[in-house]
Amino acid sequence: MSVVYLAVLLVSAVCVLAVDRRFRLFCWHSPARAAVVLALGTAFFLAWDLTGIALGVFLHGTGPYQTGVMLAPELPLEELVFLLFLCELTMVLALGAQRLLTRTERVR
């Protein structure tokens, strides 16, 4: 059992949350709305993964850097953490880009 991959995901998520907090883009701008968006986004991608697993498209490969904790057949714990991280990162990037573009348009 190794927690390397999970730790990397969590450290990356903390870094994205730090950027989010610094610029108040998503979670720190509107926490309740962000929680709903994160829950819905993660649920969508989790359903996508479970469908892929059921169809035999997605399979879990063993690796030396994974915990081995399975939430369901072929669904490791790290996948859920990754999906949550992916949704947070996407929203921070999208809202950050929107803010930059809005500022650029104001300058013109």
Side-chain angles (χ1 to χ4, degrees):
M1 180 170 167
S2 174
V3 295
V4 173
Y5 180 49
L6 183 60
V8 168
L9 286 172
L10 292 173
V11 167
S12 299
V14 167
C15 291
V16 172
L17 285 169
V19 170
D20 185 4
R21 182 170 188 241
R22 165 63 181 88
F23 296 102
R24 299 196 184 286
L25 295 167
F26 183 51
C27 289
W28 274 266
H29 177 71
S30 182
R33 190 178 335 180
V36 170
V37 169
L38 287 174
L40 289 174
T42 303
F44 171 80
F45 285 116
L46 188 58
W48 180 293
D49 277 3
L50 292 173
T51 301
I53 290 168
L55 294 172
V57 176
F58 300 152
L59 300 172
H60 175 260
T62 59
Y65 305 112
Q66 298 175 346
T67 62
V69 175
M70 301 298 284
L71 302 176
E74 306 295 333
L75 183 69
L77 170 65
E78 292 87 353
E79 182 66 12
L80 180 61
V81 175
F82 171 74
L83 295 175
L84 187 60
F85 166 71
L86 178 66
C87 291
E88 167 68 10
L89 176 63
T90 301
M91 290 307 300
V92 168
L93 288 173
L95 294 171
Q98 181 182 34
R99 185 174 292 175
L100 283 173
L101 291 172
T102 302
R103 284 185 181 177
T104 302
E105 288 175 4
R106 282 188 214 157
V107 171
R108 291 181 184 180

